[in-house]
Amino acid sequence: MHPDAPLPFAETLSVLQTLVPPKLLSPRVGIICGSGLSGLGGSLKEVVLISYDRLPGFVQSTVPGHKSFLAFGLIGSVPVVAMLGRFHPYEGHKLSSVVYPVRVMAKMGVKNIIITNAAGALNPNLAVGTIVVVHDHIALPNLTGMNPLLGPQIDSSYSRFLPISDAYSRSLRRLVFQAAHQLSLDREALAEGTYAWVSGPTYETAAEGRFLRAAGADVVGMSTVPEVLAAREEGMNVMVLSLVTNMVVIPEGYKSVREEVEAELAGKVTEAVVDEVVSHEEVLTLGREKGDLMKALVEKVVEFIGNGNGGAV
Ligand SMILES: O=P(O)(O)O[C@@H]1C[C@H](O)[C@@H](CO)O1
């Protein structure tokens, strides 16, 4: 038993066995829906929704735009399991709780996981509404002691020192671009990039935004990386799609208040400076607007996986 948090896998799986029809009990693909993206669950056929409060080991999602249901169903003929609502450390959840559903998916036999999120763009070439296919990440929390794999190993057969330079499956990333081609999406609809994980819940200051951009990140968000690490530890192929819901506020240059006041005292007319801010409402609005696009891409990729394409199983 894990001393930090006893993980009730047997109990969770036994509840699932009583609630999920046998046909859906061995999902091929796991999906995690990001902020405002739970509509993905709406496209599942023969869907069975299970409230998180019925599942031992699951906590509740408390963030607007996240539900608290595990959905089982079919995309085409492929059985999938989807988290309609994820857990973030900033909600007060332990990292072991945040990644518990990913580990449950692994115990159910899921080999491929598609993780979606809403993110702010640091790269000025990205437009709001773009979906970024993530190929790498920067996780300051991981580097400074906030890593879901810290502590005694939950399974002694797992690697103690997990390499994650290959965390984002190239085969699955290829499938996204093939899916975009089949869906006749404009080239600009998709981009590739690096995701920076921050703990949140505050959005970034301008200086933090500049810092993360200078470090090489294209987008920034408050989730996903813990799930990626757990999924890799469990041996899954991982794909991450970030929907750019807003530009991170990084003004061109600081407009000096001293100079503003001095100019006014000298009788000059100055331009009023209004500081911009980001809000979760705009994140959710964009999630709703682009939810169908994200859904179409995910469905197509699942279809490809079902057909055995791309080297992913
Ligand atoms: O769960 P995701 O990463 O999609 O949600 C993002 C990050 C924060 O939870 C929230 C901020 O608006 O949206």
Side-chain angles (χ1 to χ4, degrees):
M1 203 68 95
H2 194 254
D4 175 39
L7 299 172
F9 290 120
E11 291 87 335
T12 313
L13 293 173
S14 134
V15 172
L16 288 173
Q17 261 152 20
T18 62
L19 299 175
V20 182
K23 173 180 183 181
L24 302 176
L25 253 185
S26 301
R28 292 277 305 276
V29 182
I31 301 169
I32 301 180
C33 301
S35 278
L37 296 167
S38 288
L40 269 172
S43 60
L44 302 188
K45 290 187 297 180
E46 302 182 32
V47 67
V48 175
L49 291 178
I50 300 168
S51 173
Y52 290 162
D53 57 15
R54 300 188 71 177
L55 294 172
F58 276 60
V59 289
Q60 290 291 303
S61 184
T62 62
V63 184
H66 288 261
K67 300 178 180 165
S68 280
F69 289 101
L70 198 58
F72 289 82
L74 299 172
I75 292 183
S77 57
V78 185
V80 304
V81 54
M83 283 184 80
L84 309 186
R86 63 149 55 88
F87 312 130
H88 308 82
Y90 66 72
E91 295 172 79
H93 300 312
K94 286 194 287 197
L95 281 166
S96 55
S97 303
V98 168
V99 302
Y100 184 68
V102 172
R103 297 196 187 281
V104 169
M105 287 181 186
K107 300 274 174 285
M108 301 189 83
V110 170
K111 293 278 185 289
N112 298 288
I113 187 162
I114 301 176
I115 302 175
T116 67
N117 61 57
L122 298 157
N123 181 338
N125 299 321
L126 290 172
V128 167
T130 308
I131 291 177
V132 176
V133 184
V134 173
H135 64 81
D136 204 348
H137 72 230
I138 295 172
L140 296 180
N142 281 176
L143 299 176
T144 53
M146 190 173 159
N147 184 314
L149 310 191
L150 278 175
Q153 292 183 274
I154 65 155
D155 187 324
S156 57
S157 70
Y158 292 163
S159 166
R160 175 73 284 193
F161 303 104
L162 186 72
I164 50 164
S165 49
D166 63 347
Y168 300 88
S169 158
R170 192 171 188 95
S171 311
L172 290 179
R173 281 184 278 140
R174 286 174 55 86
L175 292 190
V176 190
F177 287 96
Q178 287 159 2
H181 176 70
Q182 280 216 355
L183 295 167
S184 306
L185 298 189
D186 291 341
R187 195 169 189 278
E188 308 78 65
L190 282 191
E192 297 178 271
T194 296
Y195 178 92
W197 176 42
V198 294
S199 76
T202 43
Y203 292 110
E204 296 65 44
T205 64
E208 287 164 349
R210 265 185 230 109
F211 170 74
L212 293 170
R213 178 68 190 138
D218 297 291
V219 288
V220 54
M222 307 175 194
S223 68
T224 298
V225 168
E227 298 150 2
V228 170
L229 299 191
R232 289 303 294 151
E233 185 176 49
E234 298 285 351
M236 293 183 193
N237 303 312
V238 171
M239 185 181 111
V240 171
L241 299 177
S242 292
L243 171 65
V244 174
T245 52
N246 59 281
M247 301 304 293
V248 172
V249 179
I250 309 180
E252 291 275 295
Y254 173 64
K255 298 243 170 36
S256 161
V257 168
R258 167 189 283 191
E259 285 167 17
E260 185 179 285
V261 172
E262 285 172 351
E264 280 164 12
L265 291 174
K268 293 191 187 134
V269 180
T270 55
E271 217 176 287
V273 176
V274 181
D275 290 324
E276 283 177 63
V277 292
V278 179
S279 75
H280 189 55
E281 285 65 41
E282 74 184 276
V283 170
L284 292 182
T285 303
L286 219 287
R288 274 190 291 273
E289 280 172 24
K290 290 286 173 177
D292 284 347
L293 176 60
M294 184 67 99
K295 192 159 83 173
L297 266 178
V298 169
E299 282 171 0
K300 191 50 91 183
V301 169
V302 169
E303 188 190 303
F304 286 158
I305 293 172
N307 293 338
N309 287 342
V313 276

